[in-house]
Amino acid sequence: MRTYLESGVNVELGNQLVKKIKPIAKSTFRDEVIGGIGSFAALFDFTALCKKYKNPALVSSTDGVGTKLLIAEEMGKHDTIGIDLVAMCVNDILAQGAEPLFFLDYFSAGSLNEEIVLSVINGIGIGCKEAKMALIGGETAEMPSMYRKDVYDLAGFAVGVVDKDKILPQNITVGDAIIGVHSSGIHSNGFSLVRNIIKNCGISYSDLSPWHEKSWGKILLEPTKIYVNSLLPIMSQIKGIAHITGGGLIDNIPRILPNHLAAEIDSWQWPEIFTWLSKEGKVAKEEMLKTFNCGIGMVLVIAQDNIADVCDSLIKSGETVSTIGKIIEKPTDNAKSVIFT
């Protein structure tokens, strides 16, 4: 008689992994979590939120980390990619003005490697702690023939909450300031282009980069910054937040602007990795700005009167910030929504 194990699915290993994942998840739990890992579905006490929020609205986001995974797999470095997964979801939730609540992950592979799985999940736990959200559940799937050996894929799902009257964006007007909160690097977008440039330049991920005593692999795997601790305390002073992900500044800033307004953006100092990619990869400036964050992980729209307070708070939270522009009236209906000066 044939067995599931003979088909390449090790159910017992999957069960053992769940037991080892439980303490990672439990370390992230908030008071509102009901039960623990292992039930058919995860439970969260919404009644507790109703005591804190007058008219709570749930905010959800799902994302992955794209082909950045391929670099992690080639480097055999899996300890930070889980942080990226959390960051990509939670920063989208922040863009609506919401507080993160809980997170679920999906890990799929051709065959489960205990060391890799636990390294990735531990990274997810680190990200959840930083974001003050609970890793409340997930799925680990073993699918023979779907993936090559030691190749895996990730997806994340996050839920947050915000009072309906505080959902961002709101009340953005001409003259508002645009603040750029700096990124930690490339974050998790544009890696198909990055990998292509690295390959064409004949660079190995183990080679040292030109600027740091770090390998290219470690530079590229720098995890996506999580902005929860720096942005939540100043949400009341923010009119709009654009998370600069796929589409770069060109496509993401317009998502928070009324149709009649545009963002006039001044120049800022690009980190070395982006100037290198543009030069060595022969990538035009507009293509860079539509593919990468170019050093700006979050764009905030605030009233001019709040610039000093907001920037002071962000700097005290450990962020690097720049005032990079202002909101203007569109000269014509068909004018661009983002204008670089």
Side-chain angles (χ1 to χ4, degrees):
M1 301 292 289
R2 294 188 63 83
T3 66
Y4 210 5
L5 181 60
E6 290 175 331
S7 299
V9 179
N10 191 336
V11 175
E12 183 56 35
L13 175 58
N15 290 336
Q16 292 174 10
L17 281 170
V18 171
K19 291 179 181 178
K20 293 181 178 180
I21 289 170
K22 281 184 177 181
I24 297 174
K26 188 174 181 180
S27 70
T28 71
F29 280 4
R30 296 165 50 116
D31 292 340
E32 301 94 339
V33 176
I34 300 172
I37 300 293
S39 299
F40 289 101
L43 299 171
F44 195 89
D45 185 4
F46 193 73
T47 304
L49 297 179
C50 293
K51 297 176 182 178
K52 182 177 179 181
Y53 293 88
K54 294 179 180 179
N55 296 291
L58 293 179
V59 182
S60 61
S61 175
T62 186
D63 211 335
V65 294
T67 57
K68 189 173 186 176
L69 272 176
L70 296 177
I71 300 176
E73 289 163 358
E74 186 167 334
M75 290 287 294
K77 185 178 180 344
H78 311 280
D79 58 333
T80 59
I81 205 74
I83 300 174
D84 285 291
L85 185 67
V86 174
M88 293 302 289
C89 295
V90 76
N91 288 341
D92 279 349
I93 284 177
L94 285 174
Q96 304 295 151
E99 172 195 358
L101 297 174
F102 58 84
F103 188 85
L104 297 96
D105 70 276
Y106 177 80
F107 181 105
S108 57
S111 61
L112 296 178
N113 179 308
E114 180 176 324
E115 183 179 355
I116 292 175
V117 173
L118 293 178
S119 184
V120 172
I121 301 300
N122 189 62
I124 291 173
I126 291 170
C128 284
K129 287 179 183 177
E130 186 174 345
K132 294 183 171 60
M133 66 193 312
L135 175 56
I136 201 172
E139 170 68 9
T140 304
E142 190 169 33
M143 297 187 286
S145 302
M146 183 69 75
Y147 304 96
R148 299 189 310 277
K149 179 177 171 56
D150 291 336
V151 171
Y152 60 92
D153 199 8
L154 289 175
F157 178 80
V159 172
V161 64
V162 62
D163 268 321
K164 289 180 183 178
D165 63 348
K166 295 180 181 178
I167 295 173
L168 297 180
Q170 57 179 258
N171 304 321
I172 295 176
T173 59
V174 172
D176 285 339
I178 300 174
I179 303 295
V181 188
H182 291 210
S183 65
S184 54
I186 300 175
H187 285 183
S188 299
N189 295 103
F191 274 89
S192 292
L193 178 55
V194 171
R195 289 171 47 249
N196 182 265
I197 294 170
I198 293 290
K199 180 180 178 181
N200 289 341
C201 289
I203 293 172
S204 169
Y205 294 127
S206 61
D207 292 342
L208 290 180
S209 74
W211 324 287
H212 306 284
E213 288 300 313
K214 288 184 179 180
S215 69
W216 272 102
K218 288 184 178 180
I219 293 288
L220 297 177
L221 288 176
E222 181 69 29
T224 306
K225 182 177 274 291
I226 294 172
Y227 296 93
V228 173
N229 293 323
S230 54
L231 292 189
L232 277 185
I234 57 171
M235 278 297 182
S236 62
Q237 296 175 283
I238 300 174
K239 293 187 172 188
I241 300 175
H243 180 202
I244 309 304
T245 56
L249 286 88
I250 289 177
D251 285 348
N252 284 295
I253 294 176
R255 296 169 69 177
I256 65 172
L257 298 179
N259 291 332
H260 67 289
L261 297 180
E264 185 178 78
I265 304 294
D266 303 324
S267 61
W268 69 93
Q269 185 67 45
W270 288 15
E272 293 165 317
I273 182 64
F274 296 105
T275 55
W276 185 91
L277 287 169
S278 180
K279 179 181 178 182
E280 299 300 326
K282 298 179 175 58
V283 183
K285 182 178 179 180
E286 184 170 358
E287 182 69 14
M288 290 291 298
L289 290 165
K290 197 170 184 177
T291 304
F292 302 110
N293 65 61
C294 294
I296 303 296
M298 287 286 207
V299 165
L300 314 181
V301 179
I302 62 173
Q304 288 283 343
D305 292 345
N306 289 331
I307 293 177
D309 288 344
V310 166
C311 289
D312 183 60
S313 177
L314 289 169
I315 292 168
K316 286 180 179 178
S317 297
E319 303 292 354
T320 302
V321 298
S322 302
T323 301
I324 61 171
K326 62 183 179 182
I327 301 298
I328 63 171
E329 191 86 29
K330 269 188 181 178
T332 65
D333 291 340
N334 296 324
K336 292 182 179 180
S337 296
V338 182
I339 302 167
F340 293 93
T341 60

